Amino acid sequence: MLAKGGNPALTLMSLLLLLWKEAAGIEVPQDSKIQQDLKQPPTIIKQSVKDYIVDPRDNTIIIECEAKGNPVPTFSWRRNGRFITIGKDPRVTMRKRSGTLEIGFRNGGRPEDYEGEYQCFATNDFGVALSNKILLRVS
């Protein structure tokens, strides 16, 4: 394969380019049945910005977290390194089929009490995906 006096690096590069060209043609089938059965770990597809500054006059704080995966991921959150129990605080809810947190202040409470570092975890049987750490501050 290597001609007498040939450059081994050039030969290796040619071989890698040939393999890359062949591998680039591999595609995941678009058949919906195959896609439905294809197991995948979670992947975060939408999240709030890292430095999230909220207006203290807002009635609701929304911290976004959405993920895809198969099976569909379940979501949990940490605030300042500790897991949050959704439902323990009546102001904090999580949207259905999403990990997006909603913190409401229509019936009292102060946004300042919810400042801190938040992180979303999307989990299924094949793994865990983490959002960026989101620093929530009140302006």
Side-chain angles (χ1 to χ4, degrees), residues 33-62:
K33 176 66 176 151
I34 292 173
Q35 288 285 331
Q36 181 179 354
D37 294 339
L38 187 62
K39 303 300 182 198
Q40 298 177 332
T43 304
I44 301 290
I45 57 173
K46 188 173 185 181
Q47 60 187 313
S48 290
V49 294
K50 290 181 182 182
D51 287 317
Y52 186 25
I53 300 173
V54 297
D55 186 330
R57 297 168 293 184
D58 289 345
N59 288 328
T60 306
I61 296 173
I62 296 174

Side-chain angles (χ1 to χ4, degrees), residues 5-138:
N7 184 338
L10 186 59
T11 303
L12 179 59
M13 183 62 82
S14 297
L15 181 59
L16 289 173
L17 284 172
L18 178 65
L19 289 172
W20 178 75
K21 181 182 173 191
E22 291 300 316
I26 298 172
E27 293 183 19
V28 175
Q30 296 300 316
D31 184 314
S32 61
K33 176 66 176 151
I34 292 173
Q35 288 285 331
Q36 181 179 354
D37 294 339
L38 187 62
K39 303 300 182 198
Q40 298 177 332
T43 304
I44 301 290
I45 57 173
K46 188 173 185 181
Q47 60 187 313
S48 290
V49 294
K50 290 181 182 182
D51 287 317
Y52 186 25
I53 300 173
V54 297
D55 186 330
R57 297 168 293 184
D58 289 345
N59 288 328
T60 306
I61 296 173
I62 296 174
I63 309 173
E64 293 183 311
C65 181
E66 294 182 16
K68 65 179 182 176
N70 189 12
V72 174
T74 58
F75 296 90
S76 58
W77 282 88
R78 281 190 181 188
R79 177 177 172 231
N80 299 327
R82 299 181 65 180
F83 278 104
I84 299 172
T85 304
I86 305 298
K88 185 176 180 182
D89 182 340
R91 290 185 190 91
V92 180
T93 58
M94 193 165 26
R95 290 182 182 166
K96 292 181 180 180
R97 291 185 286 275
S98 169
T100 297
L101 279 184
E102 293 186 10
I103 307 169
F105 302 101
R106 286 188 176 86
N107 298 324
R110 300 171 347 128
E112 295 85 357
D113 295 338
Y114 293 88
E115 287 184 317
E117 184 180 77
Y118 289 79
Q119 189 169 30
C120 174
F121 292 70
T123 308
N124 73 9
D125 295 340
F126 296 95
V128 178
L130 292 94
S131 71
N132 292 325
K133 290 181 178 178
I134 301 160
L135 183 59
L136 177 72
R137 295 181 288 168
V138 177

